[in-house]
Amino acid sequence: MSKTITLIPGDGIGPSITDAALRVLEAAGADLEYDRQIAGVAALHDRGDPLPQETLASARETGVILKGPLTTPVGSGFRSINVALRKEFDLYANVRPAVTLMPGGRYEDIDLVLIRENTEGLYVGVEHYIGLEGDPKAAAESVMIITRFGAERIVRYAFDYAVANGRKKVTFAHKANILKYTQGLFLEVGHQVAKEYEGRVEFEDMIVDACAMHLVMNPYRFDVLVMENMFGDILSDLMAGLVGGLGMAPGGNIGKDMAMFEPVHGSAPDIAGQGVANPTAQVLAAVLMLEHIGQPEVAERIRKALLTCLHACDVLTRDLGGSASTREFADAVISHLR
Ligand code: NAI
Ligand code: MG
């Protein structure tokens, strides 16, 4: 039975890379219907609301969002719609695979997954200034919040992910040596959950700064990594760097009954409207979505075609050193579908 998903093409390069992704999906035989909705700057212009009720209602109905990047205007008072969507649907697990797609980079054959806690930590937005002796900004404070509930569900997610995907090891990165309470609680919960998977998935904990060093020195010693929000934000970009940058990196935001898939990069206003953006991350976001909704064969077909296309190196977008347009690149991927 065909699955209906909520499609948010997004801002800037969003519409052109989602269009490319949809053409690849269609050619690969994905069994999908799309409920097209808007958000971000497009929705602000059309409806006066960056996150319209219709968009939220559609997502609630379908349970799956495929999203292009959304622009967050700087200094406009409107907060990031990406963050708002993650909060609205409690999308607590940010899943970011880092897989080598093109040969000739700094490393070959990288295949890692970082699972980042998406709702807690220092990013909860509990912040304020402290005034002192006439200076209203004499100091500032941001509170890191870790709950047993939040820690447990993200570590469990990482282990279940490892089991479901045949992965061998989970590395838990933390800073419990300094942040004894917040990170200490997180680590304690990590060890508790790990016990339940003993014999099935290997577990190690590692201080986050050492983890950053090891990721660069020898990324092959890792498999699945799990950590709190800010550490995950930073290390997942580092990991994208191991495989050629943000342009190749998709992400899934997973909640209990809702999931949202998107490229990791933004709306690229500097090249918007030129038709030259690389749709790879958007196509890979669609691949993650297909796996999530139970169409893994189509997902695999697309992944293989994308790999063949990138290895052939004759049709590449500008960011990869080629001169193909977004559309030409999508056509090349389609021509490699088997
Ligand atoms: P960006 O990722 O949009 O662009 C950074 C650089 O990478 C630019 O030079 C851009 O041309 C290039 N680039 C990005 N994606 C590309 C692609 N597919 N093909 C070729 N080149 C690509 O980051 P920036 O400029 O910091 O942010 C622009 C807007 O995007 C901002 O409003 C930001 O808030 C938003 N943003 C949205 C995200 C989301 O929707 N999840 C994530 C990150 C940023
Ligand atoms: Mg980030």
Side-chain angles (χ1 to χ4, degrees), residues 251-269:
N253 299 275
I254 317 286
K256 197 154 84 57
D257 347 271
M258 171 75 67
M260 178 170 83
F261 301 89
E262 62 186 348
V264 163
H265 63 71
S267 57

Side-chain angles (χ1 to χ4, degrees), residues 8-12 37-52 55 67-73 76 78-82 84-85 267:
I8 304 175
D11 300 316
Q37 298 289 338
I38 50 174
V41 169
L44 192 63
H45 285 163
D46 269 36
R47 313 252 175 90
D49 179 358
L51 193 50
T55 303
K67 191 181 84 52
L70 297 172
T71 299
T72 303
S76 70
F78 111 43
R79 59 179 187 147
S80 162
I81 297 305
N82 300 302
L85 280 165
S267 57

